[in-house]
Amino acid sequence: MHPSPTIVPGRSCGTCTLCCRLPDIDLFDKPANVWCRHCIEGKGCSIYVDRPSVCRDFLCLWMTDEALGEAWEPARSHMMIYRQGPQITVLVDPDHPDIWRREPYHAQLRAWADAPNGGYVIVFWRDDVFKI
């Protein structure tokens, strides 16, 4: 069992709700890029206190990686990023299709993809998938 990542001091979700929109959440029959029925846009989860573990246990990379600066905050970057083993998954807001190709984002995504640890980066925008 892996220990839960810790939140970088001073960081919080704030009014960001991208994790309520971008991922596919089977438990709620919620497809990707559609708002969760429990989300109040710009405010958060209407069932926050009773949210299921799939939501309770999720932390995006910006919340857990202090090396990512303020530009990577999801509400600002329009991307939600998380690790799954060697893979870094990038879910891009459908309203900002090319944001991941801009700086400072693209250079960091390339650096992660080129890292000697054998990892890779997958970017999802709507139905398009890009491997970096």
Side-chain angles (χ1 to χ4, degrees), residues 17-96:
T17 53
L18 286 181
C19 64
C20 300
R21 180 183 184 194
L22 300 182
D24 169 358
I25 304 174
D26 292 337
L27 180 69
F28 296 132
D29 290 326
K30 190 202 91 52
N33 302 310
V34 174
W35 288 107
C36 175
R37 68 181 177 268
H38 301 292
C39 181
I40 301 169
E41 188 177 353
K43 293 189 180 209
C45 181
S46 65
I47 61 167
Y48 186 82
V49 173
D50 298 316
R51 70 196 184 284
S53 62
V54 69
C55 300
R56 186 176 304 276
D57 296 341
F58 178 79
L59 289 171
C60 72
L61 196 58
W62 182 78
M63 290 286 290
T64 62
D65 188 341
E66 65 184 325
L68 295 180
E70 293 300 311
W72 288 90
E73 192 270 324
R76 183 177 297 164
S77 69
H78 306 287
M79 295 180 285
M80 187 184 85
I81 302 169
Y82 58 97
R83 287 187 191 274
Q84 294 175 294
Q87 177 177 318
I88 294 177
T89 301
V90 181
L91 304 181
V92 179
D93 185 328
D95 299 331
H96 299 272

